[in-house]
Amino acid sequence: MSSSDPKTRPKPVTRPPAPVPPSSWAKRTGFKPKFSGETNASDSGQIALPPRSRENENQPDLEAGRARPVPPVVNGEQPVSEKGPAEKDQSVKKRREADGTNKGSSAAAANGHTVNNGAAPQPQQPTRRPSRNEDVVDVLPQNVDDEGFVGRHSHMKYELRDTPGLVPIGLYGFQHYLSMLGSLILIPLVIVPAMGGTYEDTANVVSTVLFVSGVTTLLHSFFGSRLPLIQGSSFVFLAPALAIINSPEFRGLNGNNFKHIMKELQGAIIIASAFQALLGYSGLMSLFLRLINPVVVAPTVAAVGLSFYSYGFPQVGNCLEIGAVQILLVIIFSLYLRKISVLGHRIFLIYAVPLGLVITWAAAFLLTEAGVYSYKGCDTNIPSSNIVSEHCRKHVSRMKHCRVDTSHAFKSSPWFRFPYPLQWGTPVFHWKMAIVMCVVSIIASVDSVGSYHASSLLVSSRPPTPGVVSRGIGLEGLSSILAGLWGTGTGSTTLTENVHTIAVTKMGSRRAVELGACVLIVLSLVGKVGGFIASIPEVMVAALLCFMWAMLAALGLSNLRYSEAGSSRNIIIVGLSLFFSLSIPAYFQQYGISPNSNLSVPSYFQPYIVTSHGPFRTKYEGVNYIMNTLLSLHMVIAFIVAVILDNTVPGSRQERGVYVWSESEAARREPAVVKDYELPFRVGRIFRWVKWVGL
């Protein structure tokens, strides 16, 4: 037949490949994309799809199994939607309308079929272009992953401006602060004993930390970034504080070492905080933001957590049956029991740290009362140097670290105590310590930038503008000045654990954080609260810190989800940053120390005495102090290596995962963004002439 003649046979019409049902590929492989502010997990190169026709294909749609045009980036969000089949057509139509690509194509074209061009054209209905805010809501990812890092709006119980009532906000605010208990109270339990302070001094510093944390959180919520972020003593300041505490000039002090060293810390923190405030309010932070990207933030924050490995488990080993059980309980609660819900709340995941602390403390109390750690003729109140009996010398360490009744902080604490400025005396200022803290304040700002971006994607309509970020950093500087005046021992900055807590508790209400801050201020006035926290045994503190520092390292590395984590460029940069952040400080810390040297500090504090034996030995003592101290800090090395490599090695914006902040002009035109970030009480109108701060 003529129709079978290959010369006369009509050529078949090329059709796009038939769509794969959304449930087939995704459900077979268990694929769940990790959404970010800048790039899609499907573009990371980690998952290879079978070969398919490249015709008319710009970007693979892994969930739908078909090609889709590349939509423009809106506010740092790739408009990917993971909806059911019933909503898929409507979602695609809305997305195309928002992107300006819906030019009269029919639903058949959206499903991958060709359009009959010979049919009579249908009259196009005038389509109302959605507002920018509606576009964001429509194209944001609606899926919820296992760990709570999800698209916003669909999963949050309370968003940024929600005020459902006093009781719900109070309960969620209490839950929010309780889940971050470890980050708020553990730093004083480390630095005060290192300064030679008593249990009463520890209780007073804990009360001061709670008071300053409540005040600075309120200030940040009203006049800072306005995101629901708790402020407090950050682990970023812990390592430099320990380095200053173990300076050679403080080893031969007579009298009250605690107050003298605390005044030195206060002076360094005040100067560094003023530098951070200047960095924010001058607008320099807006320029500095161009250098800060996820590939820089990830290893820098991770190095903060990894730097305390010499303190964590060596302290736990002093009473292994208590410390190891504490770590195991927290691991079981946060991992194996994390999906168990009670009244809709994942109590084991949210309260892993306080639950583990309460159970272990109760077990240690029962063992102490049962006489397990009591030895005949031995007394823990007698100094080790005065103990004559060999039997008591053998068990004195076990008695001090395993018993829960060795601290008298709770009994000696007053019921009411008001923390006041300069309570330890007038701060002492030394330029070499101040310069060290100024560099650390830059690291704290980098940490806060990552927290601002991640939390805004969860609770807000848009990421903040660079001006809002600068305003937040400037207020953190002012908050740290308050911390220096009150004498907390460290600066006050945004706690990194905020992002994890918001994602887990699904509570993003600004009012809940403010109410919780007020409760924190009230608790700080009750002296017994500080005494109770100060009486936590050192072994349990070290066990909790092991978990908290591991969480901090993981949260730092989680910033890589905003970049192409599978890129060889990023892998090499992060790997080099982490390795050198451990290796270079080790060189400085071990330089000039003989294997048989008898050091006057405990082994877990030896990394922080580098100023007395570091490789920098010029004729300028202050320069030696600064260089030996800074280059022995893991986070400083990680930041230097990462920021140089990330900003000099070529790479696309998508590959690097460059943070995308809202534009000021566009933000001012959107009521939702203005309500999210505008200063209250008409304060913003006074500072409208300051173009580089705020919206």
Side-chain angles (χ1 to χ4, degrees), residues 532-544:
F532 177 76
I533 295 173
S535 62
I536 301 176
E538 291 183 1
V539 172
M540 297 184 191
V541 172
L544 291 179

Side-chain angles (χ1 to χ4, degrees), residues 244-410:
I244 293 176
I245 290 169
N246 290 281
S247 297
E249 52 262 42
F250 300 147
R251 294 178 193 166
L253 292 177
N254 296 322
N256 197 332
N257 295 0
F258 165 72
K259 286 190 175 181
H260 183 86
I261 300 176
M262 177 62 83
K263 290 187 291 185
E264 297 276 356
L265 281 176
Q266 287 181 262
I269 291 170
I270 290 173
I271 294 178
S273 304
F275 169 76
Q276 186 180 16
L278 178 65
L279 183 68
Y281 287 124
S282 66
L284 293 176
M285 194 64 203
S286 299
L287 302 177
F288 190 50
L289 283 178
R290 302 174 184 178
L291 304 178
I292 303 176
N293 297 308
V295 180
V296 176
V297 174
T300 302
V301 178
V304 175
L306 295 176
S307 61
F308 300 106
Y309 63 89
S310 63
Y311 182 90
F313 205 80
Q315 281 284 76
V316 173
N318 290 326
C319 186
L320 202 57
E321 64 267 29
I322 300 297
V325 169
Q326 171 99 14
I327 295 175
L328 289 177
L329 282 176
V330 176
I331 291 175
I332 291 172
F333 291 153
S334 60
L335 292 178
Y336 294 98
L337 304 181
R338 71 186 190 278
K339 293 187 177 181
I340 297 179
S341 298
V342 177
L343 300 177
H345 300 274
R346 294 186 178 185
I347 58 172
F348 293 106
L349 178 60
I350 297 173
Y351 306 121
V353 170
L355 280 176
L357 175 62
V358 169
I359 294 174
T360 310
W361 204 348
F365 175 79
L366 294 177
L367 292 175
T368 302
E369 292 298 316
V372 175
Y373 304 119
S374 299
Y375 298 92
K376 187 176 180 180
C378 302
D379 188 0
T380 57
N381 296 321
I382 300 177
S384 302
S385 58
N386 297 339
I387 297 177
V388 179
S389 171
E390 186 65 26
H391 171 71
C392 293
R393 283 180 176 273
K394 181 180 179 181
H395 298 291
V396 65
S397 176
R398 187 177 180 82
M399 293 173 62
K400 287 185 176 180
H401 293 98
C402 295
R403 296 179 66 91
V404 298
D405 57 355
T406 57
S407 172
H408 305 286
F410 182 77

Side-chain angles (χ1 to χ4, degrees), residues 80-299:
V80 180
S81 178
E82 186 179 316
K83 300 184 178 181
E87 304 177 49
K88 183 172 59 177
D89 293 342
Q90 184 179 1
S91 175
V92 171
K93 182 177 179 181
K94 288 184 178 181
R95 183 168 64 241
R96 293 191 175 188
E97 289 176 357
D99 297 339
T101 59
N102 187 7
K103 301 182 182 302
S105 59
S106 63
N111 289 327
H113 299 289
T114 57
V115 181
N116 185 6
N117 296 328
Q122 298 291 333
Q124 296 186 4
Q125 298 293 333
T127 304
R128 180 183 65 87
R129 181 178 178 82
S131 65
R132 292 173 63 95
N133 193 39
E134 292 175 351
D135 291 346
V136 173
V137 174
D138 184 56
V139 301
L140 281 173
Q142 303 296 319
N143 65 310
V144 181
D145 68 8
D146 189 48
E147 297 302 326
F149 293 112
V150 293
R152 54 185 178 263
H153 295 289
S154 63
H155 72 289
M156 299 298 294
K157 293 180 180 178
Y158 297 114
E159 297 171 17
L160 185 61
R161 289 177 277 113
D162 286 347
T163 53
L166 184 61
V167 174
I169 282 184
L171 293 176
Y172 277 100
F174 175 76
Q175 168 186 278
H176 197 75
Y177 279 85
L178 189 61
S179 64
M180 300 184 65
L181 180 67
S183 302
L184 290 172
I185 65 172
L186 292 182
I187 289 182
L189 305 184
V190 176
I191 63 173
V192 176
M195 289 188 282
T198 62
Y199 291 113
E200 290 77 11
D201 293 329
T202 304
N204 293 336
V205 174
V206 168
S207 297
T208 304
V209 167
L210 296 179
F211 179 81
V212 172
S213 177
V215 172
T216 55
T217 299
L218 286 175
L219 290 175
H220 191 83
S221 178
F222 281 103
F223 305 110
S225 70
R226 307 220 66 201
L227 292 167
L229 300 174
I230 298 175
Q231 309 293 298
S233 297
S234 173
F235 289 119
V236 174
F237 290 93
L238 180 56
L242 291 174
I244 293 176
I245 290 169
N246 290 281
S247 297
E249 52 262 42
F250 300 147
R251 294 178 193 166
L253 292 177
N254 296 322
N256 197 332
N257 295 0
F258 165 72
K259 286 190 175 181
H260 183 86
I261 300 176
M262 177 62 83
K263 290 187 291 185
E264 297 276 356
L265 281 176
Q266 287 181 262
I269 291 170
I270 290 173
I271 294 178
S273 304
F275 169 76
Q276 186 180 16
L278 178 65
L279 183 68
Y281 287 124
S282 66
L284 293 176
M285 194 64 203
S286 299
L287 302 177
F288 190 50
L289 283 178
R290 302 174 184 178
L291 304 178
I292 303 176
N293 297 308
V295 180
V296 176
V297 174

